[in-house]
Amino acid sequence: MSSSDRLTGPALWRLGETVRFGWREFHAVNPPSVVVGSILPRMLLQILFFTLLGGVLAGTRHQEYAFVGGLVLGLAMTVILYVSQVPVADKESGTFWRLRTGHLTPMVVFTARALPYPVVGFAVLLVSAAVVAPLAGLGGLAVRLLPVAGIYLLVAFTAMAAGLAAAAFAVGRRAETLVSNLMGYVVLLCSGAFLPPGRIPALDAIGTVVPGRHGLAAIHAHLRGDPWVSGVVAEAVVGVAWLGAATLVVAVQIRRARRHGHDDFA
Amino acid sequence: MTERLLAGGWVAWMALRAEQQGMRTRPMVVVVAVIQPVALLFVVAGTRDLTPGEATVTVSAVVLTAMWSATVWTAGGVLRRERGYGTLARSVTSLYSPSLVLFGRSLGATVYSAVGILASSAVVVALLGFRFAVPHPGWLLVALLVVVASGTALGMLLACLFLVTRHGLAWSGALIYPVFILGGLLIPPDALPVWLRWVPALLSLRWVHEFVVAVSGGPVRLAPLGVAVALTAGYLLLAVVCLRVAVDAGRRKGTLELV
């Protein structure tokens, strides 16, 4: 493809190049040594902690519940926290103006570059589950979860969308650490991952729009032998809604950037 | 002698103030001193109904767990941040002992975090309507002072560890959950495998927790608090020696800011 073709080429080619760039960017910021030496142990120990805590607080049945939810917690909290690296990279490199003037809209570029986060997060989750389940004596439960592993992947994408919205909202004030962590703790409290729904009504109300809540309900429904497809659909809808929220936030940031004449999410 | 003591006190006070002013602009302080204890309290208290005695023990475990996080992310990061700001050499090669400056900064970070953790925990306790058993408030205050002293000493020790590695931030994240699991606070030692039950004994905060557990359910037992004080003294001594070795080595090799 010649250079002129590339300038006017199909949107799909541009999108593919952006995705490819996203992988290279992810690899540069999170090389295998960081994924294996930092992200994996953190997620693994987080899941182990919540699983053991469930058993300590409310016995074996809650330990099983906490393991199923702990996998969602470890995955969602990690993806939400780390995906903020995408807009932060533009903030720190001063490259937001190039996104604004490109052929692809900034939100499409952000989303394409963020794709490695849920995919790698899901891979790390599989390894974590394989280690934690035997340690906690829950190997049988882990095997029963295998047919619905795809729901965890869906949750990873929902968390990515929510994480992008949170980061795009906060990165201008350098508050992405605070907002991303806050979002992670909202997932902990409201997703039903550790606290079963019905305990604190206010948290349940917030939980309906929190990543992981409906996916987790679908997983528990599968374990009980109940229909679970509606939970998956609801989780997907929540993900799309968060992607819409992120698009809105980025659009507002662009509008502000044009009005104030700056280009760094300030 | 009096003049030296006053000068030392002034240096520690200035370091404390400087650290606390810096903490006001750091979002991570809000995460570890407010958001985390609130979330943990809701999670632990929401899972089951607690008797007044259990409520005291639960709040103690959550507060001390949050103190560990806060120590790692705030006091433990003092020297790492100094290196990032380019002020490390000035802090550890001034007229005054580097240990004194580090002590002041670590104390400032620990007090600031402790106030945040206690205040946010108090709000959650009030919101959840916990009925509290506080049979010996004076001794609980003593326990709190030991926690602050322990947090300060642990913070100094961690700060020295983060001084000799360029991966201090990664280490900070890596140190949180092992202690959550093995620290003997939210996960009691008897829930751990037998071959790991000695690990919680190394953490002073776990002994403070044991003291609070004993106080909330019966007479005052000073032995756990004594062990916590002894461990705190050990952390402090180790931190002073480590800092001296790290600074001397850095100055000799010219790598103080370059690790």
Side-chain angles (χ1 to χ4, degrees):
Chain A
M1 185 179 281
S2 71
S3 59
S4 60
D5 287 339
R6 284 179 182 176
L7 283 174
T8 56
L12 207 59
W13 177 83
R14 292 193 185 100
L15 192 61
E17 285 300 295
T18 311
V19 171
R20 200 166 67 88
F21 171 74
W23 277 100
R24 293 171 69 95
E25 184 184 31
F26 179 87
H27 190 76
V29 181
N30 303 290
S33 59
V34 169
V35 173
V36 175
S38 176
I39 298 175
L40 172 64
R42 186 189 156 102
M43 189 193 286
L44 193 154
L45 291 170
Q46 198 172 29
I47 294 165
L48 183 62
F49 168 68
F50 282 112
T51 304
L52 293 177
L53 185 63
V56 167
L57 289 175
T60 311
R61 284 200 65 183
H62 197 70
Q63 182 170 13
E64 292 176 359
Y65 184 91
F67 173 69
V68 175
L71 296 175
V72 164
L73 280 182
L75 178 64
M77 289 175 87
T78 303
V79 171
I80 288 171
L81 194 63
Y82 278 83
V83 81
S84 66
Q85 289 173 343
V86 173
V88 165
D90 284 302
K91 167 82 177 178
E92 289 180 349
S93 310
T95 48
F96 186 45
W97 66 273
R98 291 166 72 173
L99 263 63
R100 288 207 292 118
T101 53
H103 280 278
L104 296 175
T105 63
M107 192 55 211
V108 171
V109 176
F110 279 149
T111 308
R113 282 164 53 199
L115 289 178
Y117 290 86
V119 174
V120 175
F122 180 68
V124 172
L125 178 82
L126 292 179
V127 177
S128 302
V131 175
V132 172
L135 277 178
L138 299 170
L141 177 60
V143 172
R144 285 168 59 209
L145 287 173
L146 277 177
V148 285
I151 301 179
Y152 284 102
L153 184 59
L154 173 64
V155 170
F157 279 98
T158 315
M160 177 204 80
L164 273 180
F169 175 75
V171 73
R173 304 290 175 209
R174 295 190 189 279
E176 69 282 351
T177 307
L178 176 63
V179 175
S180 297
N181 272 286
L182 185 61
M183 176 75 86
Y185 281 104
V186 168
V187 172
L188 164 62
L189 281 175
C190 306
S191 66
F194 193 90
L195 269 180
R199 297 291 176 104
I200 303 173
L203 298 185
D204 285 342
I206 300 169
T208 53
V209 293
V210 162
R213 172 63 172 264
H214 301 288
L216 198 53
I219 293 166
H220 283 300
H222 161 76
L223 291 174
R224 288 191 306 269
D226 294 339
W228 48 273
V229 176
S230 60
V232 175
V233 173
E235 182 70 31
V237 169
V238 167
V240 171
W242 275 111
L243 214 51
T247 307
L248 187 68
V249 171
V250 171
V252 170
Q253 297 281 25
I254 289 170
R255 195 179 158 86
R256 290 180 66 221
R258 283 187 178 138
R259 200 167 61 230
H260 297 295
H262 60 67
D263 274 304
D264 64 348
F265 279 109
Chain B
M1 183 65 186
T2 312
E3 200 171 309
R4 282 191 66 186
L5 276 176
L6 281 174
W10 178 81
V11 170
W13 175 249
M14 284 297 116
L16 180 150
R17 291 279 308 278
E19 184 61 27
Q20 291 193 336
Q21 282 179 354
M23 287 177 81
R24 286 177 201 164
T25 61
R26 267 180 246 134
M28 204 59 198
V29 177
V30 180
V31 173
V32 293
V34 178
I35 297 172
Q36 189 173 66
V38 167
L40 283 176
L41 261 180
F42 267 110
V43 160
V44 176
T47 306
R48 60 172 184 175
D49 296 327
L50 301 169
T51 64
E54 287 175 335
T56 310
V57 173
T58 298
V59 172
S60 162
V62 168
V63 164
L64 292 171
T65 301
M67 272 306 296
W68 168 252
S69 263
T71 300
V72 171
W73 285 112
T74 61
V78 162
L79 295 180
R80 178 174 54 79
R81 282 190 294 275
E82 291 258 22
R83 189 162 54 204
Y85 299 151
T87 53
L88 177 63
R90 268 174 282 178
S91 282
V92 297
T93 58
S94 70
L95 282 174
Y96 303 102
S97 160
S99 300
L100 193 61
V101 177
L102 179 58
F103 171 78
R105 283 194 172 270
S106 187
L107 179 63
T110 305
V111 169
Y112 196 94
S113 306
V115 169
I117 290 168
L118 289 174
S120 53
S121 300
V123 170
V124 177
V125 164
L127 278 175
L128 292 175
F130 273 3
R131 280 181 302 151
F132 238 51
V134 190
H136 303 284
W139 280 111
L140 286 181
L141 191 63
V142 172
L144 178 63
L145 292 176
V146 174
V147 168
V148 170
S150 257
T152 304
L154 269 171
M156 290 174 69
L157 191 55
L158 290 171
C160 295
L161 167 71
F162 298 156
L163 188 62
V164 294
T165 170
R166 68 183 68 182
H167 304 295
L169 208 59
W171 272 104
S172 300
L175 281 172
I176 298 293
Y177 280 99
V179 173
F180 276 23
I181 295 168
L182 298 173
L185 298 169
L186 284 166
I187 311 286
D190 56 12
L192 299 173
V194 177
W195 57 276
L196 278 174
R197 286 183 190 168
W198 59 272
V199 178
L202 301 177
L203 185 69
S204 58
L205 299 178
R206 174 249 182 275
W207 291 101
V208 176
H209 181 58
E210 188 166 316
F211 172 78
V212 175
V213 170
V215 162
S216 66
V220 175
R221 281 176 52 221
L222 287 177
L225 209 55
V227 178
V229 171
L231 281 170
T232 300
Y235 300 152
L236 190 64
L237 190 65
L238 200 57
V240 170
V241 171
C242 286
L243 182 63
R244 186 170 296 169
V245 170
V247 170
D248 283 353
R251 292 181 73 174
R252 264 200 309 274
K253 296 176 188 167
T255 56
L256 201 54
E257 305 262 13
L258 303 174
V259 176

